[in-house]
Amino acid sequence: MTSPHDDEASSSNPPPPLTASRIYIGNKAKEILATRDITGITKLVTNLCYVYLLDSLLMDIDDLRGGLKKESLNDIKNHVSSCLLTQETSDEDFKLLSRIVSRVSVDVFIASKPWYELCSYILSLDGNKKALLLFSELPTLLDEEFLMPLLENGFGLKIVNVLLMNQDYDEEEWCLGLEAGFSLILQLVNLKNKSLVWDLVYVIVKSVWEMVNVKRREVVVRKGFVRVAKKVRREALRFREHEYEVVSRLGLMIQRINGLGEVTMMMVTMIHEVLERYYMGGQVLNHGLLNQFL
């Protein structure tokens, strides 16, 4: 059951990150007072305010179909890189930063600017979740120069291992693996190595079959495809023929898997509907049905 306060927060603006909680601020304040370091106060205020406001601003620019000015693009990119590299972040803050990276990277890659720090940062992350989350948020604009270091350092294998893991099963990690695998397919489909694209397609199909028929985790599969549908909704305006083809074929392959329940099948069908309505500037989809599964 949700409280009226929860309803109010969800209906207008998203809730603040965990670092804005009273407990976090209280503990940080004690640390700062103990050291009498004015730079600590500055850093705390910056963490609590500046990045969150930047996310709001970028959302407004995105809604208006605008872009960042070339004069400010490098400064914003460098600031975001600094946030990723130097600041301690909670899981909620990292999700916020990942969204910001995604919006900034659209203009970075459209302008054909390199972002070596971002590629290196993804490779430096320990564990799987943060790396998969950050990669999944990136737009389908990455060039071969950005992707090849990731592949050469085993990022594709990391996705495969998450999707086909038999032990230490983690629901959130599997959903992130599905979204990251789908995102990598979209990134690679226009490059020379098409075989890797279809290798990933078959890994996803195999993983979904195992999740449904062996591990009995169809609810998790459904959550994963909600994320995939949202990814298609964000990216389909940039799709070309190859992206359209691979998404359509993957959807048909998933629909043929025995054991899928009615609701999960509906989510996979919705991916086709989102694709058809957004591809090449199609009509805007009513988000109500999709959002009720979030």
Side-chain angles (χ1 to χ4, degrees):
M1 180 179 294
T2 58
S3 67
H5 177 74
D6 293 333
D7 291 338
E8 182 180 352
S10 62
S11 62
S12 54
N13 297 314
L18 294 179
T19 50
S21 71
R22 292 182 180 180
I23 295 175
Y24 176 86
I25 296 173
N27 289 337
K28 279 294 182 183
K30 290 178 183 177
E31 292 176 13
I32 292 169
L33 290 173
T35 59
R36 299 181 181 275
D37 182 7
I38 192 66
T39 60
I41 297 174
T42 303
K43 183 177 179 181
L44 177 62
V45 172
T46 300
N47 286 349
L48 293 178
C49 299
Y50 185 79
V51 177
Y52 191 73
L53 291 174
L54 179 59
D55 180 57
S56 232
L57 176 62
L58 291 172
M59 283 179 66
D60 291 341
I61 292 174
D62 192 47
D63 289 342
L64 293 172
R65 304 287 184 187
L68 298 171
K69 288 186 177 180
K70 292 181 179 179
E71 298 82 2
S72 61
L73 186 56
N74 278 335
D75 288 339
I76 294 176
K77 177 173 77 82
N78 291 337
H79 178 76
V80 172
S81 295
S82 177
C83 288
L84 288 170
L85 293 171
T86 64
Q87 297 188 15
E88 297 179 5
T89 55
S90 67
D91 289 344
E92 290 300 315
D93 284 343
F94 188 81
K95 291 177 182 178
L96 174 65
L97 277 173
S98 296
R99 292 200 304 268
I100 291 172
V101 168
S102 175
R103 295 189 180 103
V104 173
S105 64
V106 170
D107 292 285
V108 170
F109 290 112
I110 285 178
S112 299
K113 293 181 178 291
W115 200 343
Y116 303 117
E117 305 93 335
L118 180 58
C119 181
S120 298
Y121 178 74
I122 292 173
L123 290 173
S124 74
L125 288 167
D126 293 328
N128 295 322
K129 289 185 180 180
K130 285 188 174 181
L132 295 175
L133 172 61
L134 183 52
F135 181 80
S136 298
E137 290 285 350
L138 296 178
T140 54
L141 294 167
L142 307 183
D143 55 26
E144 196 165 1
E145 187 177 6
F146 186 94
L147 286 170
M148 289 313 297
L150 293 176
L151 295 176
E152 289 168 358
N153 286 274
F155 188 75
L157 184 60
K158 176 181 288 191
I159 293 173
V160 171
N161 288 339
V162 168
L163 288 173
L164 299 181
M165 59 186 171
N166 294 316
Q167 297 177 346
D168 300 325
Y169 169 74
D170 184 293
E171 292 185 1
E172 175 66 11
E173 193 169 302
W174 187 88
C175 288
L176 288 171
L178 175 66
E179 187 176 5
F182 181 77
S183 298
L184 185 55
I185 286 170
L186 296 180
Q187 304 287 3
L188 292 174
V189 72
N190 287 300
L191 301 183
K192 295 177 181 178
N193 192 353
K194 294 289 196 309
S195 63
L196 182 55
V197 170
W198 293 107
D199 287 346
L200 281 168
V201 167
Y202 290 120
V203 166
I204 287 176
V205 173
K206 176 179 172 58
S207 181
V208 170
W209 185 90
E210 288 184 350
M211 288 288 287
V212 171
N213 293 292
V214 179
K215 297 177 181 176
R216 306 295 181 185
R217 293 293 188 271
E218 188 188 1
V219 172
V220 180
V221 172
R222 187 186 312 158
K223 290 178 181 177
F225 278 109
V226 169
R227 298 187 185 204
V228 171
K230 291 174 68 177
K231 179 75 176 182
V232 174
R233 186 177 72 189
R234 292 196 307 267
E235 297 295 329
L237 286 172
R238 286 190 279 266
F239 282 2
R240 288 172 283 180
E241 184 178 352
H242 290 149
E243 289 93 339
Y244 180 91
E245 178 187 1
V246 75
V247 174
S248 296
R249 288 183 62 182
L250 175 60
L252 290 173
M253 292 168 75
I254 296 296
Q255 286 178 321
R256 295 191 182 111
I257 293 176
N258 292 329
L260 283 184
E262 181 179 349
V263 178
T264 304
M265 188 70 77
M266 182 174 65
M267 289 311 307
V268 179
T269 302
M270 184 177 292
I271 292 173
H272 278 285
E273 294 177 358
V274 172
L275 181 65
E276 294 295 336
R277 298 191 187 193
Y278 274 74
Y279 176 58
M280 297 294 288
Q283 298 175 357
V284 176
L285 178 70
N286 186 325
H287 298 171
L289 182 59
L290 181 60
N291 289 334
Q292 73 176 332
F293 290 97
L294 300 182

